[in-house]
Amino acid sequence: MKISRRYALKSFFSLISYISLSNFSLAKNQSLIGKDVIIIGAGISGLIAASTLIQKGANVIILEAKNYIGGRIRTDRSLGSPFEYGAGWIHGPSHDNPIRNLANRSNSSLFITEDDSCELFNLSGNEIDEKVWDKIEKVWEEITYNEIDRNTKGSILDAIYEYDSNIWNDPNIRWVFSAYEEFDYGGPIHEISAGLIQDMSSFPTDDVIFKDGYDKIINLLAKNLKIKTNSIVKSVNYMSKNNIIVSTKSKNYECDYVICSVPLGVLKSNSIEFNPALPNYKQDSIEKVGFGTVSKLALKFTDQFWNSDVQYYYTVAKETGRWPIWMNYRTFSKKKILMGLCFGDYAKKADLLTTEELTEDGLKVLTNIWEDDVGKVQNVLRTSWLSDPFTRGAYSFPRVDNSKEDFENLAESIDNKLFFCGEHTYLKYLATTHGAFLTGIRAANEVIKATKN
Ligand SMILES: Cc1cc2nc3c(=O)[nH]c(=O)nc-3n(C[C@H](O)[C@H](O)[C@H](O)COP(=O)(O)OP(=O)(O)OC[C@H]3O[C@@H](n4cnc5c(N)ncnc54)[C@H](O)[C@@H]3O)c2cc1C
């Protein structure tokens, strides 16, 4: 990989952090008239890349494998209140966060989910005493803020063992690291690089959800774009100097530039054939960087057996990552819904369970607390991102053997023709919608720059 490009990428990212993104584009003139661009994938990164290029006059077609757009932003309203299959929160919805900007532009109604509004239940299903909880959090804080820094080698679990070799036997400790770390990073605690997560960053202020659905921003972004759904890209041939051929099962598309925004899980599966093959350094990084899963289960009950004003119920289980967090819909909706989440290694198993098995598993954890009060389930929605062939997991994380260069390699374009974006290409804001969005703008601006060469 060329060092100079790395610097170019870095300086671009630091530049856009300071620029208002309200117009979505850094460029104003129409220098791309007559240029054809194919974007693979209609997730948030592909959509904003397309908008940016269209403003410059390019002819852009987005090829999307699924029958819907938005990728890992997908809202289902069949429970009477939005269920988000993918992204649920705007993390750090400050005014610098471009997703906050989109939420305002789409007149979305936002709701602050207060992290402090919560109750924690132990393995026996009893509420955990404040003092015990303070102790659990103190251990977590000490390890996260005192034990780990940029130079720490190994995984978060290694750091926990280093701190105290017995502490991992405590289910409360396993709970706190799953709920606070596996959730954020999306991988199993023994695989997440303790050192590299220090390079990740966030915008300030408390997280919010969309009361009327995250997909409102997708619909806003997709306006006036040419999107072909049900178009599974099978190959990208960029051998010729003159053009690139992008092929689906039924059609070949000829273009000048390609932006590939498919998830890291799809790149790992090699289901898209690149000709010539991607360079070794890029392929290595695709294989190395972590891509985990997170399972969600929304249970709509006929009767409510829990309080309306507690935002989160936290539940300790024997197995790390087994339903540590339940979000209570009653704080923002009339619907009697509890939404549970599984993380890390447990999520990998949960994603593959049948809906009946998954529901039974979630209900066991709830029954441990509310016993016979747990009533009839009226309706269920669940995710299974691991078995989705066009995602193959939830989001990326820095694995123990990764380096910063791996993420730069994922972002790096090839021959000024083939460009890459998506959440996995930006370590600083990995695994987020704002990160994905910013990479779409970065890739579009790389295309604009390439036309000047
Ligand atoms: C369960 C879950 C919870 C999350 N929670 C949050 C959250 O609360 N807050 C937050 O900020 N982020 C969250 N995220 C992460 C966020 O959703 C993603 O980072 C972001 O949406 C990724 O956007 P993208 O454009 O990079 O990829 P995607 O949205 O995955 O878009 C890629 C597109 O490529 C398409 N594609 C794949 N293969 C092909 C092919 N061969 N041909 C054509 N098209 C193809 C896919 O179908 C998809 O539409 C969550 C994700 C998940 C899964």
Side-chain angles (χ1 to χ4, degrees):
M1 100 152 250
K2 290 162 250 127
I3 297 294
S4 56
R5 279 208 37 78
R6 254 188 241 167
Y7 281 114
L9 277 178
K10 269 189 199 156
S11 52
F12 178 78
F13 278 135
S14 44
L15 174 72
I16 53 176
S17 306
Y18 295 102
I19 291 176
S20 158
L21 292 161
S22 57
N23 290 327
F24 301 151
S25 174
L26 302 176
K28 289 265 184 280
N29 65 36
Q30 298 271 295
S31 63
L32 264 62
I33 287 175
K35 299 289 180 196
D36 294 316
V37 184
I38 293 284
I39 296 181
I40 310 173
I44 192 166
S45 66
L47 294 174
I48 185 59
S51 302
T52 310
L53 291 172
I54 280 168
Q55 284 184 45
K56 294 285 280 178
N59 177 29
V60 183
I61 297 177
I62 304 182
L63 299 176
E64 167 55 51
K66 294 179 173 174
N67 61 3
Y68 66 90
I69 62 165
R72 280 170 279 171
I73 297 177
R74 186 186 178 200
T75 309
D76 186 318
R77 294 174 176 79
S78 63
L79 298 180
S81 196
F83 172 70
E84 306 293 355
Y85 281 94
W89 288 265
I90 306 181
H91 294 303
S94 64
H95 289 290
D96 291 336
N97 186 328
I99 306 301
R100 170 61 188 265
N101 189 301
L102 283 176
N104 292 348
R105 288 169 56 109
S106 61
N107 293 322
S108 291
S109 167
L110 302 175
F111 176 82
I112 299 175
T113 48
E114 306 242 5
D115 285 350
D116 291 340
S117 167
C118 50
E119 286 175 12
L120 172 61
F121 295 89
N122 67 16
L123 212 49
S124 319
N126 299 316
E127 202 176 336
I128 281 184
D129 183 87
E130 280 284 320
K131 279 188 194 144
V132 179
W133 197 347
D134 284 350
K135 268 193 200 159
I136 300 168
E137 283 202 320
K138 194 159 177 260
V139 171
W140 170 75
E141 263 173 38
E142 277 179 11
I143 296 174
T144 314
Y145 298 108
N146 300 341
E147 291 288 310
I148 296 176
D149 64 25
R150 274 202 160 74
N151 302 317
T152 308
K153 299 269 178 272
S155 67
I156 299 182
L157 185 60
D158 292 331
I160 297 169
Y161 275 121
E162 184 105 337
Y163 173 84
D164 179 336
S165 57
N166 289 319
I167 212 158
W168 194 243
N169 296 325
D170 180 347
N172 294 339
I173 296 295
R174 293 202 299 274
W175 169 80
V176 77
F177 278 95
S178 184
Y180 294 9
E181 304 294 320
E182 289 189 328
F183 185 15
D184 271 13
Y185 301 110
I189 201 79
H190 58 94
E191 287 187 35
I192 305 165
S193 159
L196 262 191
I197 55 172
Q198 313 302 322
D199 284 298
M200 293 171 67
S201 185
S202 54
F203 289 107
T205 74
D206 292 342
D207 293 353
V208 293
I209 54 164
F210 288 75
K211 274 174 87 175
D212 38 9
Y214 221 119
D215 63 354
K216 277 185 87 175
I217 63 166
I218 291 298
N219 297 334
L220 174 75
L221 279 175
K223 259 187 202 158
N224 306 322
L225 299 182
K226 269 188 225 158
I227 306 172
K228 292 187 184 293
T229 49
N230 297 309
S231 300
I232 306 169
V233 170
K234 299 278 183 197
S235 67
V236 177
N237 189 325
Y238 61 106
M239 192 79 93
S240 160
K241 267 195 178 149
N242 305 321
N243 60 11
I244 307 178
I245 309 289
V246 178
S247 305
T248 65
K249 211 172 170 188
S250 56
K251 204 170 165 186
N252 292 336
Y253 295 84
E254 212 180 301
C255 61
D256 302 295
Y257 304 98
V258 168
I259 298 181
C260 179
S261 81
V262 303
L264 179 60
V266 173
L267 293 173
K268 279 180 187 290
S269 74
N270 293 315
S271 56
I272 300 178
E273 187 192 335
F274 291 94
N275 191 4
L278 298 178
N280 287 341
Y281 71 81
K282 199 174 189 84
Q283 193 60 40
D284 280 354
S285 298
I286 288 171
E287 280 158 30
K288 273 164 68 184
V289 168
F291 198 66
T293 196
V294 166
S295 319
K296 287 186 180 182
L297 171 72
L299 299 173
K300 184 175 175 183
F301 292 92
T302 40
D303 297 304
Q304 188 181 336
F305 52 87
W306 65 93
N307 290 335
S308 291
D309 55 353
V310 176
Q311 187 60 72
Y312 295 106
Y313 288 108
Y314 293 146
T315 49
V316 176
K318 246 195 238 155
E319 302 84 348
T320 316
R322 183 180 173 210
W323 309 113
I325 298 178
W326 293 86
M327 183 167 92
N328 178 8
Y329 269 55
R330 289 292 287 113
T331 54
F332 55 87
S333 155
K334 289 204 168 81
K335 304 298 165 194
K336 298 165 195 133
I337 299 170
L338 287 175
M339 198 263 293
L341 295 133
C342 287
F343 311 122
D345 282 335
Y346 199 84
K348 287 190 209 165
K349 290 185 215 154
D351 264 12
L352 303 179
L353 295 178
T354 63
T355 303
E356 288 69 32
E357 289 167 338
L358 194 72
T359 305
E360 198 185 320
D361 196 50
L363 282 175
K364 264 189 204 156
V365 172
L366 297 180
T367 311
N368 191 35
I369 299 161
W370 283 283
E371 301 174 345
D372 294 345
D373 290 346
V374 176
K376 207 171 159 244
V377 176
Q378 197 185 340
N379 227 327
V380 178
L381 284 178
R382 58 86 54 95
T383 62
S384 182
W385 287 100
L386 204 59
S387 35
D388 175 339
F390 306 113
T391 315
R392 295 177 185 261
Y395 36 91
S396 319
F397 66 93
R399 212 184 241 146
V400 229
D401 60 345
N402 291 168
S403 66
K404 273 196 246 178
E405 282 71 26
D406 283 314
F407 295 88
E408 289 158 7
N409 291 345
L410 293 180
E412 191 159 296
S413 60
I414 301 170
D415 293 349
N416 267 336
K417 290 197 280 194
L418 179 53
F419 299 82
F420 293 85
C421 64
E423 57 85 15
H424 55 284
T425 64
Y426 194 7
L427 176 60
K428 183 174 178 188
Y429 295 132
L430 207 64
T432 61
T433 52
H434 51 270
F437 179 93
L438 292 171
T439 69
I441 299 182
R442 187 256 306 141
N445 280 282
E446 287 175 353
V447 172
I448 294 165
K449 207 169 155 214
T451 61
K452 293 178 184 149
N453 289 339

